[in-house]
Amino acid sequence: MAEATPYDIDALRVHPKATLDACRERVACRMCGKSVKFFCYHCCVLVPELEGKVPRIRLPFKLSVVKHAGELDGKSTALHAKVIAPEDVEIVAYSADCLDDADVQRTALLFPGPDAKQVDDMDVTSMDRVVVIDGTWPQAKRMVRDNRKLQRMQKVTIAPRRTRFWRYQRLGDSYLATIEAIYFLYRDSAGGGYCGEYDALMYFYKYFYDYIQGEYAAAPARPFHSRHREGYIAYDSAVPATSPRPARRDTAAKANYEFDDLALEDVFEDRGHP
């Protein structure tokens, strides 16, 4: 397997900070009534204050995100794609017979393996849809193993990159957050002519990445997960938060990105869990 290479997250042509920083209050989702900050994690719709201010794009082929039941909505970065490209992205609850109506001849599965083709080597006009699995790596392997349609789809893969995800995971930094994988799927499909047209998929991810970098840059003594890769917080280049949140060691981390509720030290700090 080729070595994973870093990517420059600051080169993305998205600038979410001013827009999202100005959105301060939680409001009720207009569809389900749940209290949300930027968008509803259940309905994938923006709060009214952000309508017309957050980019919306079209994609060259459809995307089906097959979501494991154990993957919490608030933890799923894949939902960002549905918010940014609602006409071309669907969220599918996994079951043994989901995707029964999929044409396996024109549907590809983003999944590594010896039989996977590089997406930049494929004729994307031959694909109507790509399926992406949203779950942990063990969950994803079981889902593909147990679903006959997923088994029969042509597998595609992307060039390996190092993740910028802020949550520690044991598999190494070549395992991307789902929205990173989705972004590079579309970016690589454009070949050498890519001009930033899918950068908007990373709109919320970039904001959350910069948010955490800024919080830790403003408080260099704040502890984080001891097994997170060295140098993850770019203390020399991150823009420190002007009013960093105080550490709250008595608050359990919540598995979402609603930062008004999140205890930041729990994102990184090693609590001795296996």
Side-chain angles (χ1 to χ4, degrees):
M1 181 178 177
E3 182 180 356
T5 58
Y7 70 92
D8 186 0
I9 196 168
D10 292 322
L12 294 168
R13 299 180 183 183
V14 290
H15 306 285
K17 181 174 173 53
T19 298
L20 298 186
D21 276 355
C23 187
R24 298 181 181 277
E25 301 298 325
R26 299 175 68 85
V27 299
C29 171
R30 57 183 163 81
M31 295 181 67
C32 70
K34 293 183 182 294
S35 176
V36 297
K37 183 70 175 290
F38 302 131
F39 64 88
C40 180
Y41 292 97
H42 307 282
C43 307
C44 296
V45 295
L46 292 165
V47 299
E49 184 179 345
L50 293 180
E51 288 287 352
K53 299 178 183 178
V54 170
R56 177 171 288 188
I57 63 173
R58 295 301 306 266
L59 300 174
F61 47 84
K62 302 291 186 181
L63 178 72
S64 293
V65 176
V66 178
K67 189 170 173 294
H68 191 277
E71 186 72 1
L72 298 177
D73 288 339
K75 186 181 175 184
S76 173
T77 61
L79 302 184
H80 303 179
K82 177 64 175 174
V83 177
I84 297 297
E87 295 172 277
D88 296 315
V89 179
E90 66 171 354
I91 309 298
V92 178
Y94 175 76
S95 68
D97 57 359
C98 71
L99 302 174
D100 266 3
D101 60 345
D103 180 355
V104 295
Q105 302 303 316
R106 296 190 60 82
T107 304
L109 172 65
L110 183 63
F111 203 80
D115 56 340
K117 295 182 179 179
Q118 288 283 337
V119 70
D120 55 359
D121 290 336
M122 295 186 67
D123 176 8
V124 296
T125 63
S126 68
M127 299 185 299
D128 292 332
R129 182 177 303 275
V130 171
V131 174
V132 172
I133 304 295
D134 192 25
T136 65
W137 181 240
Q139 289 169 345
K141 290 194 289 187
R142 287 195 297 271
M143 291 160 73
V144 173
R145 180 195 65 201
D146 296 341
N147 184 285
R148 60 185 181 85
K149 279 292 183 79
L150 292 176
Q151 291 173 7
R152 293 170 55 200
M153 291 174 187
Q154 170 63 59
K155 295 184 180 67
V156 297
T157 189
I158 55 178
R161 275 92 169 185
R162 293 181 192 168
T163 185
R164 294 284 189 160
F165 201 32
W166 44 88
R167 295 185 186 276
Y168 171 80
Q169 46 88 5
R170 297 174 176 80
L171 296 175
D173 60 10
S174 64
Y175 287 78
L176 302 177
T178 308
I179 192 61
E180 290 177 301
I182 291 169
Y183 165 65
F184 283 112
L185 165 70
Y186 285 100
R187 176 171 172 165
D188 287 359
S189 74
Y194 183 69
C195 297
E197 53 266 43
Y198 309 125
D199 285 11
L201 290 167
M202 297 281 277
Y203 185 84
F204 291 103
Y205 189 87
K206 176 71 163 63
Y207 178 79
F208 297 150
Y209 172 84
D210 286 343
Y211 182 98
I212 287 178
Q213 290 284 324
E215 289 287 321
Y216 279 85
R222 185 194 294 271
F224 59 87
H225 202 303
S226 64
R227 288 176 290 178
H228 213 291
R229 67 180 171 81
E230 184 178 356
Y232 180 78
I233 302 299
Y235 291 105
D236 294 337
S237 58
V239 178
T242 54
S243 301
R245 296 178 182 277
R248 296 186 297 166
R249 302 184 64 88
D250 60 336
T251 304
K254 296 187 177 181
N256 58 36
Y257 306 129
E258 297 168 0
F259 289 108
D260 51 342
D261 293 330
L262 182 63
L264 285 170
E265 68 274 13
D266 291 319
V267 175
F268 292 117
E269 187 177 358
D270 187 349
R271 296 295 184 98
H273 299 301

